[in-house]
């Protein structure tokens, strides 16, 4: 597989890509199409989760126009009887774990200021990972903190499934994989499901 390096002057930097995609997502999240896309992605995600049947499902608290998985949490708990979990990010040393979650709005916030339960750590067997951008090959552009990358590297047995809006798709030229990038097993969007 041929890829360009990030140092290629014709390839936008990851920071530039991130900024462009977040600006596009923020503008789009207030549109009428956003609600329909939310429902479509939720339906596709539930279909995939039905094939995986998680025992402990790691989700995330939505920010900045991300897909909102809170209804998926309730549906998954009813359908599969699974435990739920949310990430807890720590800035120093930089790391992330998951903590059990009851599905309500957490009263606590992690070191990044994102709502997160102050409960006991757990290890999900399936995690849903938010993507700022993605490729069809399963590579993800995140917010640049490396929290999910570190977690997935430390938990190679976890089934990691990305979620993204279809308009955030990138090519391998635009998002050339780096040494630390691990492909997700699949990406679910509002229009399609990509898997290896």
């Amino acid at each position: 597989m041929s890829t360009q390096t990030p140092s290629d002057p014709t390839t936008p930097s990851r920071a530039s890509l991130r900024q462009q995609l977040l600006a596009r997502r923020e503008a789009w999240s207030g549109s009428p199409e956003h609600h329909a896309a939310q429902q479509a992605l939720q339906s596709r995600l539930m279909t995939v989760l039905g094939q995986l049947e998680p025992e402990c499902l790691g989700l995330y608290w939505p920010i900045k126009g991300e897909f909102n998985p809170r209804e998926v949490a309730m549906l998954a708990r009813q359908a599969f009887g699974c435990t739920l979990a949310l990430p807890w990010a720590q800035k120093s040393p930089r790391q992330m774990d998951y903590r059990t979650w009851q599905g309500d709005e957490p009263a606590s916030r992690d070191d990044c200021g994102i709502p997160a339960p102050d409960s006991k750590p757990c290890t999900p067997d399936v995690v849903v990972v938010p993507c700022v951008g993605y490729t069809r090959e399963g590579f993800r552009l995140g917010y640049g903190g490396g929290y999910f990358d570190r977690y997935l590297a430390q938990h190679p047995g976890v089934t990691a499934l990305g979620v993204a809006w279809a308009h955030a798709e990138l090519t391998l030229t635009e998002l050339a994989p780096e040494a630390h990038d691990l492909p997700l097993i699949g990406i679910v969007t509002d229009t399609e499901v990509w898997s290896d």
Side-chain angles (χ1 to χ4, degrees):
M1 168 168 45
S2 171
T3 60
Q4 286 182 291
T5 63
S7 59
D8 187 321
T10 63
T11 304
S13 70
R14 289 192 171 204
S16 174
L17 277 174
R18 187 177 295 114
Q19 186 176 24
Q20 292 169 23
L21 289 168
L22 286 172
R24 183 189 310 166
R25 187 169 79 186
E26 185 177 351
W28 176 78
S29 66
S31 71
E33 293 82 15
H34 181 262
H35 177 73
Q38 168 76 26
Q39 295 305 310
L41 201 161
Q42 179 173 298
S43 176
R44 285 185 172 82
L45 180 56
M46 284 303 299
T47 298
V48 174
L49 291 176
Q51 296 166 1
L52 298 173
E53 296 185 348
E55 293 181 11
C56 180
L57 176 62
L59 293 165
Y60 60 89
W61 193 263
I63 60 171
K64 301 180 180 180
E66 290 174 336
F67 167 71
N68 186 341
R70 291 184 67 187
E71 190 169 339
V72 168
M74 301 304 99
L75 293 171
R77 188 156 61 180
Q78 291 168 7
F80 317 123
C82 59
T83 304
L84 301 174
L86 284 180
W88 179 283
Q90 176 181 301
K91 285 190 173 180
S92 183
R94 187 170 290 192
Q95 64 184 29
M96 184 182 87
D97 63 19
Y98 280 84
R99 299 188 178 185
T100 54
W101 175 47
Q102 299 306 311
D104 53 351
E105 182 163 0
S108 306
R109 291 179 180 266
D110 65 15
D111 286 0
C112 294
I114 299 172
D118 188 12
S119 55
K120 67 177 183 176
C122 62
T123 305
D125 55 308
V126 177
V127 296
V128 176
V129 183
C131 305
V132 175
Y134 71 97
T135 71
R136 295 184 182 194
E137 294 78 14
F139 292 104
R140 164 187 180 267
L141 178 68
Y143 292 98
Y147 290 101
F148 280 101
D149 291 331
R150 286 180 181 85
Y151 184 85
L152 296 178
Q154 293 165 1
H155 298 84
V158 72
T159 298
L161 190 64
V163 289
W165 302 120
H167 59 68
E169 182 181 344
L170 299 167
T171 66
L172 280 177
T173 300
E174 293 171 304
L175 184 64
E178 297 178 347
H180 65 271
D181 290 326
L182 299 171
L184 304 167
I185 72 149
I187 307 282
V188 182
T189 77
D190 42 303
T191 61
E192 296 179 79
V193 177
W194 301 103
S195 61
D196 57 7

mmCIF file of all heavy atoms in Angstrom, residues 54-82:
data_model
loop_
_atom_site.group_PDB
_atom_site.id
_atom_site.type_symbol
_atom_site.label_atom_id
_atom_site.label_comp_id
_atom_site.label_asym_id
_atom_site.label_seq_id
_atom_site.Cartn_x
_atom_site.Cartn_y
_atom_site.Cartn_z
ATOM 1 N N PRO A 54 -21.839 -7.136 22.559
ATOM 2 C CA PRO A 54 -20.880 -6.783 23.612
ATOM 3 C C PRO A 54 -21.353 -7.179 25.001
ATOM 4 O O PRO A 54 -22.547 -7.139 25.297
ATOM 5 C CB PRO A 54 -20.774 -5.261 23.492
ATOM 6 C CG PRO A 54 -22.052 -4.840 22.839
ATOM 7 C CD PRO A 54 -22.428 -5.950 21.920
ATOM 8 N N GLU A 55 -20.386 -7.543 25.837
ATOM 9 C CA GLU A 55 -20.677 -7.779 27.255
ATOM 10 C C GLU A 55 -20.487 -6.490 28.042
ATOM 11 O O GLU A 55 -21.218 -6.204 28.977
ATOM 12 C CB GLU A 55 -19.764 -8.878 27.802
ATOM 13 C CG GLU A 55 -20.044 -10.236 27.191
ATOM 14 C CD GLU A 55 -19.140 -11.312 27.767
ATOM 15 O OE1 GLU A 55 -18.451 -11.052 28.771
ATOM 16 O OE2 GLU A 55 -19.132 -12.422 27.207
ATOM 17 N N CYS A 56 -19.466 -5.724 27.651
ATOM 18 C CA CYS A 56 -19.238 -4.396 28.222
ATOM 19 C C CYS A 56 -18.949 -3.465 27.051
ATOM 20 O O CYS A 56 -17.969 -3.664 26.325
ATOM 21 C CB CYS A 56 -18.081 -4.397 29.213
ATOM 22 S SG CYS A 56 -17.766 -2.763 29.936
ATOM 23 N N LEU A 57 -19.810 -2.481 26.852
ATOM 24 C CA LEU A 57 -19.725 -1.579 25.709
ATOM 25 C C LEU A 57 -19.161 -0.232 26.130
ATOM 26 O O LEU A 57 -19.751 0.477 26.947
ATOM 27 C CB LEU A 57 -21.110 -1.405 25.085
ATOM 28 C CG LEU A 57 -21.226 -0.415 23.916
ATOM 29 C CD1 LEU A 57 -20.353 -0.874 22.738
ATOM 30 C CD2 LEU A 57 -22.688 -0.286 23.484
ATOM 31 N N GLY A 58 -17.993 0.114 25.583
ATOM 32 C CA GLY A 58 -17.389 1.409 25.840
ATOM 33 C C GLY A 58 -17.868 2.423 24.822
ATOM 34 O O GLY A 58 -17.660 2.236 23.618
ATOM 35 N N LEU A 59 -18.518 3.468 25.299
ATOM 36 C CA LEU A 59 -18.998 4.529 24.419
ATOM 37 C C LEU A 59 -18.193 5.796 24.714
ATOM 38 O O LEU A 59 -17.052 5.722 25.146
ATOM 39 C CB LEU A 59 -20.502 4.730 24.607
ATOM 40 C CG LEU A 59 -21.340 3.527 24.133
ATOM 41 C CD1 LEU A 59 -22.765 3.609 24.656
ATOM 42 C CD2 LEU A 59 -21.339 3.442 22.611
ATOM 43 N N TYR A 60 -18.737 6.968 24.485
ATOM 44 C CA TYR A 60 -18.053 8.229 24.768
ATOM 45 C C TYR A 60 -19.118 9.299 24.962
ATOM 46 O O TYR A 60 -20.266 9.142 24.524
ATOM 47 C CB TYR A 60 -17.100 8.621 23.626
ATOM 48 C CG TYR A 60 -17.815 8.804 22.303
ATOM 49 C CD1 TYR A 60 -18.338 10.049 21.935
ATOM 50 C CD2 TYR A 60 -18.023 7.743 21.431
ATOM 51 C CE1 TYR A 60 -19.028 10.217 20.744
ATOM 52 C CE2 TYR A 60 -18.708 7.891 20.240
ATOM 53 C CZ TYR A 60 -19.202 9.142 19.899
ATOM 54 O OH TYR A 60 -19.899 9.299 18.732
ATOM 55 N N TRP A 61 -18.737 10.371 25.650
ATOM 56 C CA TRP A 61 -19.659 11.499 25.835
ATOM 57 C C TRP A 61 -19.469 12.441 24.645
ATOM 58 O O TRP A 61 -18.363 12.899 24.385
ATOM 59 C CB TRP A 61 -19.380 12.224 27.144
ATOM 60 C CG TRP A 61 -20.498 13.154 27.479
ATOM 61 C CD1 TRP A 61 -20.555 14.496 27.226
ATOM 62 C CD2 TRP A 61 -21.747 12.804 28.082
ATOM 63 N NE1 TRP A 61 -21.763 15.012 27.634
ATOM 64 C CE2 TRP A 61 -22.511 13.984 28.167
ATOM 65 C CE3 TRP A 61 -22.300 11.605 28.555
ATOM 66 C CZ2 TRP A 61 -23.799 14.013 28.717
ATOM 67 C CZ3 TRP A 61 -23.568 11.636 29.094
ATOM 68 C CH2 TRP A 61 -24.301 12.824 29.170
ATOM 69 N N PRO A 62 -20.545 12.745 23.880
ATOM 70 C CA PRO A 62 -20.383 13.506 22.640
ATOM 71 C C PRO A 62 -20.041 14.980 22.867
ATOM 72 O O PRO A 62 -20.594 15.631 23.749
ATOM 73 C CB PRO A 62 -21.755 13.370 21.975
ATOM 74 C CG PRO A 62 -22.711 13.181 23.112
ATOM 75 C CD PRO A 62 -21.948 12.390 24.146
ATOM 76 N N ILE A 63 -19.107 15.469 22.049
ATOM 77 C CA ILE A 63 -18.717 16.883 22.064
ATOM 78 C C ILE A 63 -18.568 17.369 20.619
ATOM 79 O O ILE A 63 -18.406 16.571 19.699
ATOM 80 C CB ILE A 63 -17.393 17.117 22.823
ATOM 81 C CG1 ILE A 63 -16.243 16.326 22.183
ATOM 82 C CG2 ILE A 63 -17.527 16.756 24.304
ATOM 83 C CD1 ILE A 63 -14.863 16.663 22.724
ATOM 84 N N LYS A 64 -18.651 18.662 20.425
ATOM 85 C CA LYS A 64 -18.295 19.317 19.152
ATOM 86 C C LYS A 64 -18.987 18.708 17.934
ATOM 87 O O LYS A 64 -18.359 18.471 16.908
ATOM 88 C CB LYS A 64 -16.781 19.291 18.949
ATOM 89 C CG LYS A 64 -16.005 19.991 20.055
ATOM 90 C CD LYS A 64 -14.510 19.947 19.804
ATOM 91 C CE LYS A 64 -13.745 20.655 20.908
ATOM 92 N NZ LYS A 64 -12.284 20.623 20.702
ATOM 93 N N GLY A 65 -20.278 18.441 18.028
ATOM 94 C CA GLY A 65 -21.024 17.951 16.875
ATOM 95 C C GLY A 65 -20.821 16.489 16.538
ATOM 96 O O GLY A 65 -21.189 16.036 15.450
ATOM 97 N N GLU A 66 -20.239 15.719 17.457
ATOM 98 C CA GLU A 66 -20.054 14.282 17.233
ATOM 99 C C GLU A 66 -21.404 13.567 17.203
ATOM 100 O O GLU A 66 -22.400 14.061 17.732
ATOM 101 C CB GLU A 66 -19.226 13.665 18.369
ATOM 102 C CG GLU A 66 -17.782 14.073 18.377
ATOM 103 C CD GLU A 66 -17.035 13.553 19.587
ATOM 104 O OE1 GLU A 66 -17.662 13.276 20.635
ATOM 105 O OE2 GLU A 66 -15.817 13.434 19.484
ATOM 106 N N PHE A 67 -21.393 12.367 16.629
ATOM 107 C CA PHE A 67 -22.536 11.475 16.759
ATOM 108 C C PHE A 67 -22.815 11.266 18.243
ATOM 109 O O PHE A 67 -21.905 11.021 19.029
ATOM 110 C CB PHE A 67 -22.236 10.134 16.084
ATOM 111 C CG PHE A 67 -23.216 9.049 16.425
ATOM 112 C CD1 PHE A 67 -24.502 9.082 15.930
ATOM 113 C CD2 PHE A 67 -22.849 8.021 17.274
ATOM 114 C CE1 PHE A 67 -25.419 8.093 16.270
ATOM 115 C CE2 PHE A 67 -23.748 7.023 17.607
ATOM 116 C CZ PHE A 67 -25.041 7.062 17.101
ATOM 117 N N ASN A 68 -24.080 11.367 18.616
ATOM 118 C CA ASN A 68 -24.473 11.212 20.014
ATOM 119 C C ASN A 68 -24.889 9.761 20.270
ATOM 120 O O ASN A 68 -25.926 9.308 19.789
ATOM 121 C CB ASN A 68 -25.631 12.151 20.338
ATOM 122 C CG ASN A 68 -25.994 12.146 21.809
ATOM 123 O OD1 ASN A 68 -25.653 11.228 22.547
ATOM 124 N ND2 ASN A 68 -26.693 13.168 22.248
ATOM 125 N N PRO A 69 -24.095 9.008 21.053
ATOM 126 C CA PRO A 69 -24.396 7.598 21.278
ATOM 127 C C PRO A 69 -25.250 7.313 22.514
ATOM 128 O O PRO A 69 -25.374 6.157 22.922
ATOM 129 C CB PRO A 69 -23.004 6.988 21.441
ATOM 130 C CG PRO A 69 -22.245 8.058 22.156
ATOM 131 C CD PRO A 69 -22.795 9.378 21.637
ATOM 132 N N ARG A 70 -25.839 8.342 23.110
ATOM 133 C CA ARG A 70 -26.549 8.100 24.373
ATOM 134 C C ARG A 70 -27.767 7.189 24.194
ATOM 135 O O ARG A 70 -28.042 6.351 25.044
ATOM 136 C CB ARG A 70 -26.953 9.426 25.014
ATOM 137 C CG ARG A 70 -25.738 10.212 25.525
ATOM 138 C CD ARG A 70 -26.137 11.463 26.239
ATOM 139 N NE ARG A 70 -26.826 11.162 27.489
ATOM 140 C CZ ARG A 70 -27.402 12.081 28.250
ATOM 141 N NH1 ARG A 70 -27.379 13.350 27.888
ATOM 142 N NH2 ARG A 70 -28.011 11.733 29.378
ATOM 143 N N GLU A 71 -28.487 7.327 23.083
ATOM 144 C CA GLU A 71 -29.634 6.433 22.875
ATOM 145 C C GLU A 71 -29.151 5.019 22.551
ATOM 146 O O GLU A 71 -29.770 4.036 22.961
ATOM 147 C CB GLU A 71 -30.531 6.959 21.753
ATOM 148 C CG GLU A 71 -31.844 6.195 21.681
ATOM 149 C CD GLU A 71 -32.867 6.849 20.774
ATOM 150 O OE1 GLU A 71 -32.756 8.062 20.495
ATOM 151 O OE2 GLU A 71 -33.784 6.129 20.338
ATOM 152 N N VAL A 72 -28.026 4.913 21.863
ATOM 153 C CA VAL A 72 -27.426 3.601 21.602
ATOM 154 C C VAL A 72 -27.117 2.903 22.922
ATOM 155 O O VAL A 72 -27.315 1.695 23.058
ATOM 156 C CB VAL A 72 -26.149 3.741 20.744
ATOM 157 C CG1 VAL A 72 -25.352 2.437 20.716
ATOM 158 C CG2 VAL A 72 -26.508 4.158 19.331
ATOM 159 N N ALA A 73 -26.652 3.665 23.908
ATOM 160 C CA ALA A 73 -26.350 3.080 25.218
ATOM 161 C C ALA A 73 -27.575 2.392 25.803
ATOM 162 O O ALA A 73 -27.505 1.248 26.275
ATOM 163 C CB ALA A 73 -25.841 4.168 26.172
ATOM 164 N N MET A 74 -28.712 3.086 25.757
ATOM 165 C CA MET A 74 -29.937 2.512 26.323
ATOM 166 C C MET A 74 -30.415 1.306 25.511
ATOM 167 O O MET A 74 -30.803 0.273 26.063
ATOM 168 C CB MET A 74 -31.041 3.578 26.366
ATOM 169 C CG MET A 74 -30.701 4.825 27.187
ATOM 170 S SD MET A 74 -30.240 4.471 28.906
ATOM 171 C CE MET A 74 -28.448 4.530 28.829
ATOM 172 N N LEU A 75 -30.383 1.443 24.186
ATOM 173 C CA LEU A 75 -30.833 0.353 23.321
ATOM 174 C C LEU A 75 -29.942 -0.884 23.480
ATOM 175 O O LEU A 75 -30.429 -2.006 23.535
ATOM 176 C CB LEU A 75 -30.834 0.812 21.857
ATOM 177 C CG LEU A 75 -31.853 1.888 21.488
ATOM 178 C CD1 LEU A 75 -31.594 2.402 20.077
ATOM 179 C CD2 LEU A 75 -33.279 1.349 21.608
ATOM 180 N N ALA A 76 -28.627 -0.662 23.573
ATOM 181 C CA ALA A 76 -27.699 -1.788 23.711
ATOM 182 C C ALA A 76 -27.889 -2.496 25.043
ATOM 183 O O ALA A 76 -27.845 -3.727 25.117
ATOM 184 C CB ALA A 76 -26.258 -1.295 23.560
ATOM 185 N N ARG A 77 -28.101 -1.722 26.088
ATOM 186 C CA ARG A 77 -28.295 -2.348 27.402
ATOM 187 C C ARG A 77 -29.561 -3.203 27.399
ATOM 188 O O ARG A 77 -29.570 -4.309 27.950
ATOM 189 C CB ARG A 77 -28.364 -1.277 28.490
ATOM 190 C CG ARG A 77 -28.363 -1.862 29.880
ATOM 191 C CD ARG A 77 -27.866 -0.909 30.924
ATOM 192 N NE ARG A 77 -28.696 0.283 31.012
ATOM 193 C CZ ARG A 77 -28.456 1.280 31.863
ATOM 194 N NH1 ARG A 77 -27.415 1.224 32.680
ATOM 195 N NH2 ARG A 77 -29.234 2.330 31.908
ATOM 196 N N GLN A 78 -30.613 -2.705 26.753
ATOM 197 C CA GLN A 78 -31.861 -3.479 26.677
ATOM 198 C C GLN A 78 -31.698 -4.715 25.796
ATOM 199 O O GLN A 78 -32.160 -5.804 26.139
ATOM 200 C CB GLN A 78 -32.980 -2.599 26.118
ATOM 201 C CG GLN A 78 -33.418 -1.483 27.046
ATOM 202 C CD GLN A 78 -34.316 -0.473 26.363
ATOM 203 O OE1 GLN A 78 -34.729 -0.648 25.215
ATOM 204 N NE2 GLN A 78 -34.623 0.609 27.066
ATOM 205 N N ALA A 79 -31.019 -4.538 24.632
ATOM 206 C CA ALA A 79 -30.925 -5.628 23.659
ATOM 207 C C ALA A 79 -29.939 -6.714 24.078
ATOM 208 O O ALA A 79 -30.183 -7.899 23.859
ATOM 209 C CB ALA A 79 -30.530 -5.071 22.291
ATOM 210 N N PHE A 80 -28.799 -6.317 24.664
ATOM 211 C CA PHE A 80 -27.726 -7.275 24.935
ATOM 212 C C PHE A 80 -27.480 -7.508 26.423
ATOM 213 O O PHE A 80 -26.687 -8.378 26.777
ATOM 214 C CB PHE A 80 -26.413 -6.806 24.284
ATOM 215 C CG PHE A 80 -26.581 -6.269 22.895
ATOM 216 C CD1 PHE A 80 -26.166 -4.985 22.576
ATOM 217 C CD2 PHE A 80 -27.180 -7.025 21.905
ATOM 218 C CE1 PHE A 80 -26.339 -4.468 21.306
ATOM 219 C CE2 PHE A 80 -27.355 -6.523 20.626
ATOM 220 C CZ PHE A 80 -26.934 -5.241 20.324
ATOM 221 N N GLY A 81 -28.115 -6.710 27.276
ATOM 222 C CA GLY A 81 -27.872 -6.833 28.713
ATOM 223 C C GLY A 81 -26.443 -6.501 29.094
ATOM 224 O O GLY A 81 -25.915 -7.011 30.084
ATOM 225 N N CYS A 82 -25.810 -5.641 28.299
ATOM 226 C CA CYS A 82 -24.386 -5.349 28.527
ATOM 227 C C CYS A 82 -24.189 -4.242 29.565
ATOM 228 O O CYS A 82 -25.063 -3.422 29.810
ATOM 229 C CB CYS A 82 -23.710 -4.949 27.214
ATOM 230 S SG CYS A 82 -24.423 -3.499 26.413
#
